[in-house]
């Protein structure tokens, strides 16, 4: 299992580097880091902005999706499309999401990356996402991920947990 995770990390890092080099060329950005990782990518807000404007390709979305605890139906709901639309998009050669779904994909990638760092396992993170949270007005964090403001609230709560602040 550990070897599989390491290979998927390498595959995702390579896909991010390929995508970012394309974004750099089309946005006239000078990208110095040839060893950019998925985590580095998610922490570079300017690169995220240009990536959203460029649009996330379906192949990168699928690799990101594998790193999240969300099911296909969750992704369809988050992106505001049907599951059938996601399947049809997959069948299209070189499909690229428009800017709004691209932004949502990267927002969920950020939440998942932070959640995996804060919690010991994906299972614990998913349990936290699906449990009403006092600090979030007894709302379920998962439900807050449907919009940007809710995502920010979830991210803030994850940062507090990371720093040992539980209320």
């Amino acid at each position: 299992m550990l070897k599989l995770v390491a290979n998927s990390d390498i595959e995702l890092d390579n896909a991010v580097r390929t995508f970012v080099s394309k974004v750099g060329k089309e946005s006239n950005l000078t990208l110095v880091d040839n060893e950019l990782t998925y985590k580095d990518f998610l922490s570079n807000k300017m690169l995220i902005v240009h990536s959203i404007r460029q649009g996330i390709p379906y192949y990168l979305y699928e690799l990101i999706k594998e790193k999240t605890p969300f099911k296909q139906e969750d992704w369809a709901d988050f992106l505001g499309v049907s599951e059938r639309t996601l399947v049809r998009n997959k069948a299209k050669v070189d499909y690229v999401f428009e800017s709004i779904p691209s932004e949502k994909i990267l927002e969920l990638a950020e939440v998942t990356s932070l959640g995996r760092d804060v919690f010991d396992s994906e299972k614990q993170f998913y349990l936290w996402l699906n449990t009403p949270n006092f600090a979030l007005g007894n709302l379920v964090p998962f439900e807050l991920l449907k919009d940007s403001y809710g995502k920010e609230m979830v991210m803030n709560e994850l940062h507090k947990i990371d720093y040992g602040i539980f209320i």
Side-chain angles (χ1 to χ4, degrees):
M1 178 76 175
L2 200 60
K3 189 174 184 178
L4 179 65
V5 171
N7 286 339
S8 69
D9 287 346
I10 291 169
E11 186 179 5
L12 183 55
D13 289 345
N14 288 336
V16 164
R17 280 191 286 274
T18 301
F19 172 65
V20 166
S21 69
K22 180 181 175 192
V23 168
K25 287 175 187 167
E26 294 186 15
S27 301
N28 292 323
L29 293 174
T30 304
L31 304 171
V32 178
D33 190 0
N34 293 331
E35 295 301 314
L36 184 78
T37 65
Y38 175 62
K39 239 182 193 349
D40 297 335
F41 170 66
L42 291 177
S43 66
N44 186 328
K45 299 301 182 194
M46 189 57 71
L47 189 52
I48 293 284
V49 167
H50 287 286
S51 298
I52 289 168
R53 291 176 181 170
Q54 186 73 37
I56 299 298
Y58 200 91
Y59 73 87
L60 185 55
Y61 155 73
E62 283 208 309
L63 291 171
I64 290 170
K65 183 176 80 168
E66 288 176 17
K67 300 295 267 180
T68 70
F70 310 123
K71 300 177 215 138
Q72 179 85 353
E73 65 192 48
D74 298 333
W75 277 102
D77 192 30
F78 290 139
L79 299 176
V81 298
S82 69
E83 287 182 66
R84 288 183 59 178
T85 298
L86 282 177
V87 171
R88 278 194 303 269
N89 291 345
K90 181 179 182 175
K92 295 177 185 174
V93 177
D94 297 329
Y95 180 80
V96 175
F97 287 92
E98 292 181 10
S99 62
I100 292 174
S102 292
E103 183 172 11
K104 194 54 151 171
I105 290 165
L106 294 178
E107 285 179 346
L108 294 167
E110 283 182 297
V111 170
T112 301
S113 180
L114 180 59
R116 293 178 82 140
D117 288 346
V118 169
F119 291 94
D120 292 333
S121 70
E122 185 177 302
K123 185 176 180 180
Q124 287 178 336
F125 173 52
Y126 200 65
L127 178 65
W128 180 82
L129 277 176
N130 288 290
T131 303
N133 188 301
F134 179 75
L136 296 171
N138 283 328
L139 296 173
V140 176
F142 180 85
E143 289 298 316
L144 291 170
L145 295 177
K146 294 181 180 178
D147 55 64
S148 295
Y149 287 106
K151 172 257 184 184
E152 286 302 317
M153 292 171 65
V154 170
M155 291 286 286
N156 288 337
E157 196 57 33
L158 286 169
H159 283 296
K160 288 178 186 176
I161 292 168
D162 196 26
Y163 293 127
I165 304 169
F166 293 103
I167 293 185

